[in-house]
Amino acid sequence: MARHLLGIRHLDKDQIEHLLSLAADFKLRIIEDKPVPKLNKQVVGMLFFENSTRTRVSFEQAAHYLSMKTASFSAAGSSMSKGETLKDTILTLRYERLNGLVMRHRMSGTPTLAAHHFGGPVLNAGDGQHEHPTQALGDALTIIERKGDLDGLIVAIVGDVEHSRVARSNAWLLSKMGAEVRFVGPKTLIPAMSSMLPGAVFYDLATGIADADVVITLRLQKERMLEGMLSSIGEYAAMYQVNRDTLKYAQPDCLVMHPGPLNRGIEVDDVAADGERSAITSQVENGVFVRMASLYWAFTETEPKSEMNPAI
Ligand code: NCD
C-alpha cells in the first residue's frame, strides 16, 4: 500500500521525529555537497489548484535534489476547465503512470480523495483550512535548530487561525512533541470548534504571547473571509500586530515566525519580520529539506533506516 502524507494529525511522535531527522540529514548532505538518494525512476505530478510560491518551488527543488522528474499541472489549462471531475483527473494521471502526486487545493479533504483513487503516494501541499503538513515540519525543524527541542516550549500562533491550515498542522505537531500551544486572535478568527484543537485560546495579544518562546504570526486570509469577520484591517493591526512593542511581552529571545506570504504592516511589521529574532528565511530554507524528507519517506517502500541508503 502506498504511503501518503495527508496531515500531521494522524502521525505519531516517532514518525514526526523520523521525518525531522531525515530532513536534518538531507540538509547536511546538501550543504556539504554529499550524495543523496537518487529516486530517478520516479515521476511526481505537481497539482497546484491554488496559488503557491514557496511550497510549489520548494517541492520542485526537493524533487530535483532527489533526481526525481516532475510533471506540472495547472488547473486552468487542464481538462478540469472543461468540466472533468477531480476523480477522473486523478485516474488519468494514474493511468499515465505517474508515480506520485503533490497536491494543493482550496477544498479540505481533496488530497485524501485523490489518495483513494491514485495508486501511489499523495502528499498534501495544503488543503483548504484542513492541513499543511510539510509547512509544520519545516517550522518544527527551524524551531529545533534555534531552540534545541520542542518539548516544554510556549508557542503562540497569532492571527487568522480560523482560515489557517498552517495553524492546525502546527498545533498538532507541536502538541504531540510536548510544546504548549496557544491560539491568539479576535473571536471571529478563532475557530468555533477550537476546543477540538490542541491549544488554549487567548483574545488578548499581550496575555497570549506572555513568555512565549516562539510567536508564529499568520497572514489574514482575506480571500477566505466572509464579510463582517473584521471591522477594519487597521483595527486588527492595532490589536494583533507582532512588532517591536508587542514582542516585549514574549521572551526576550523569542523566535518570530510566519509561513508567508507576509502582509507587512498588517500582521507583522518590518522590525519583527527582518530583525534578529526572525526565523522567517530559515523556515523557507528548511521547507526544501522537509519536502525532500517527505518525498523520500513516501516514495521509498520500506521504512528508511536512520543511516541513509548506503547504495547511493
Ligand atoms: C500558507 C498556505 O498557503 O497555507 N502559505 C504557505 O504555504 N507557506 C499560508 C497563507 O497562505 O497565508
Side-chain angles (χ1 to χ4, degrees), residues 28 52 72 76 82 84 99 207 220 227 257 300:
L28 214 61
S52 173
S72 279
K82 300 180 187 172
E84 186 172 69
N99 304 100
T207 327
L220 277 184
E227 217 168 307
M257 300 177 69
T300 53

Side-chain angles (χ1 to χ4, degrees), residues 16-17 30 71 83-84 102 105 122 133 135 137 162 175 179 204 216 261:
I16 294 168
E17 275 171 354
I30 295 295
E84 186 172 69
V102 168
H105 200 285
V122 176
Q135 179 70 40
L137 288 165
E162 167 69 14
S175 61
D204 172 59
I216 302 176

Side-chain angles (χ1 to χ4, degrees), residues 179-210:
E180 175 189 329
V181 177
R182 300 177 184 171
F183 301 115
V184 188
K187 264 203 177 85
T188 47
L189 296 183
I190 298 287
M193 303 288 272
S194 58
S195 58
M196 311 277 285
L197 293 171
V201 173
F202 294 78
Y203 300 119
D204 172 59
L205 182 66
T207 327
I209 67 174

Side-chain angles (χ1 to χ4, degrees), residues 144-223:
I144 292 169
E145 283 176 351
R146 307 274 185 116
K147 297 280 179 195
D149 200 358
L150 298 171
D151 190 27
L153 294 183
I154 299 178
V155 183
I157 303 178
V158 181
D160 189 357
V161 177
E162 167 69 14
H163 300 106
S164 179
R165 50 200 178 208
V166 174
R168 288 171 177 76
S169 288
N170 263 318
W172 291 119
L173 189 151
L174 294 163
S175 61
K176 282 172 196 270
M177 303 300 285
E180 175 189 329
V181 177
R182 300 177 184 171
F183 301 115
V184 188
K187 264 203 177 85
T188 47
L189 296 183
I190 298 287
M193 303 288 272
S194 58
S195 58
M196 311 277 285
L197 293 171
V201 173
F202 294 78
Y203 300 119
D204 172 59
L205 182 66
T207 327
I209 67 174
D211 299 325
D213 300 290
V214 180
V215 175
I216 302 176
T217 176
L218 302 168
R219 183 176 69 89
L220 277 184
Q221 301 200 19
K222 283 173 263 166
E223 74 278 16

